[in-house]
Amino acid sequence: MNPPRPADASTPPPPQWILAVMLALLGMLGPFSIDTYLPAFEGIAASLNASPLQMQQTLSAYLFGFAFMNLFHGALSDSFGRRPVVLWGLAAFALTSAGCALAQTPAQLILFRALQGCTTGAGIVVSRAVVRDLFPPAQAQRVMSQITIYFGIAPAVAPMIGGVFIAYASWQSIFWLLTAIGALLWAFNWRLLPESLPPEKRQAFDVRNLMRGYWQLCSSPRFLLLAAASGVPFNGMFIYILSAPTFLGTHMHMQPTQFFWFFICTIGGIMLGAWVSGRLAGKIPPKRQVRHGFLIMFLTSCIYLLLNLVLPPHPAWALLPLGIYSFGWALMTPVVTLLVLDLHPERRGLASSLQAVVTSVANGIVAGVLAPLVMHSTVALAIASMGLMLTGLVSWIYFHHRWPDIGRHNAV
């Protein structure tokens, strides 16, 4: 399972900023693959004579494949190394993207989208483990923060790129673009990505050992609490993204051409929070930084709910608090992610996989159940957002009091 290397395993990693950009691009591949083809829904439906249900299944199949394979990417990287999993994942992504472009029926597109989803999780799951393998805690936090900054760009630019391609070319050109991106990323990673997990630290690949690892993490209250603390509060912001057409169009009376202001606030908050998180790495204890992030989210949620109760909806006051909330989340999430990875250093890949699964499950519940129930009212949206934030906050507070020494001291 080991593709050839251009240099021996002792080759040092590239400069930190290059590695951060490369790992961020791996993490961006998943959301970019979703958001780029969304503007082409009508064109694909007309070309393939697909029903609205079948078009929705192209998205659902992708998300199911993404969530399912998240269980295994990290475990495979713990056994075979980080580099082979990334390279094989990128190669499979390029091939399945080409399959999407060549699809002649809705069933073929659904199949290749499911296979494409199975491949994209390797990047975001394995990249986290690579960061912690290569860098000590404080430096790893800086790199993780840089990755979060770059990661925030994908949701902003992907729909615009997809819109340009569908306007001036065909819907197939979007998937050929994804094919080219996959091939380019494979080439860059083959040339530059170091193997961060030496053979002597790898786990034996057998079903019994794998099940033991899953049980070790899934039965660990520390892991579950930290995964909830980082993954669930994200949905306090994500629920507004899911509800954007109703929230912005119906409640805020904004035109579709004005929706970008909402994304500027949320994505700008994420990027600024991640930048500040990197600047604080090693200067204050990790737990204090997490506390600051949750305090910002808590105060913003309280004020935002109060404003929704007393003021009519209006973009002048309703968008900026969402950016501040996003800032608080991005300030603390690189720290919590590293705490998750350090709980079981010998199984960092598996820990990253299961953390992604927790986040995916939370996202799925919010998208499929909660958002449709509350998007009719700005007050209901604010209450739901606060409830999601409080779920993460309670998880963190319990973790903090149960294991007070973890994250208490400055990372070095």
Side-chain angles (χ1 to χ4, degrees), residues 157-231:
V157 301
M160 293 186 290
I161 293 175
V164 170
F165 271 72
I166 194 63
Y168 295 99
S170 63
W171 67 265
Q172 290 93 339
S173 66
I174 295 175
F175 291 107
W176 287 123
L177 171 67
L178 295 177
T179 302
I181 290 173
L184 286 173
L185 283 178
W186 187 94
F188 283 128
N189 281 271
W190 180 81
R191 182 68 184 86
L192 297 174
L193 183 67
E195 177 51 72
S196 61
L197 187 66
E200 62 272 14
K201 292 186 178 180
R202 296 178 188 177
Q203 298 290 316
F205 186 74
D206 62 73
V207 174
R208 181 175 298 179
N209 184 59
L210 188 60
M211 291 301 102
R212 188 183 304 117
Y214 283 125
W215 175 254
Q216 182 182 18
L217 290 175
C218 291
S219 62
S220 169
R222 294 184 303 171
F223 170 80
L224 295 175
L225 289 168
L226 284 176
S230 63

Side-chain angles (χ1 to χ4, degrees), residues 101-186:
L102 296 171
Q104 300 296 311
T105 66
Q108 291 176 1
L109 181 59
I110 292 169
L111 172 63
F112 280 110
R113 283 291 287 174
L115 296 174
Q116 188 186 49
C118 289
T119 67
T120 51
I124 190 169
V125 168
V126 179
S127 62
R128 294 171 180 171
V130 170
V131 170
R132 191 59 189 92
D133 288 342
L134 292 176
F135 301 107
Q139 194 173 359
Q141 183 181 330
R142 297 187 190 100
V143 176
M144 198 75 74
S145 299
Q146 290 175 340
I147 290 174
T148 305
I149 291 174
Y150 299 130
F151 180 81
I153 298 173
V157 301
M160 293 186 290
I161 293 175
V164 170
F165 271 72
I166 194 63
Y168 295 99
S170 63
W171 67 265
Q172 290 93 339
S173 66
I174 295 175
F175 291 107
W176 287 123
L177 171 67
L178 295 177
T179 302
I181 290 173
L184 286 173
L185 283 178
W186 187 94

Side-chain angles (χ1 to χ4, degrees), residues 40-64:
F41 256 43
E42 292 185 3
I44 297 173
S47 174
L48 299 182
N49 195 26
S51 67
L53 176 60
Q54 289 172 319
M55 289 307 303
Q56 184 62 36
Q57 287 173 339
T58 66
L59 179 58
S60 301
Y62 176 94
L63 294 174
F64 176 79

Side-chain angles (χ1 to χ4, degrees), residues 33 85 102 123-124 128 149 157 235 254-255 280 302 386 399:
S33 300
V85 174
L102 296 171
I124 190 169
R128 294 171 180 171
I149 291 174
V157 301
N235 287 280
M254 297 173 67
Q255 299 300 316
L280 292 176
C302 292
M386 174 177 281
F399 174 86

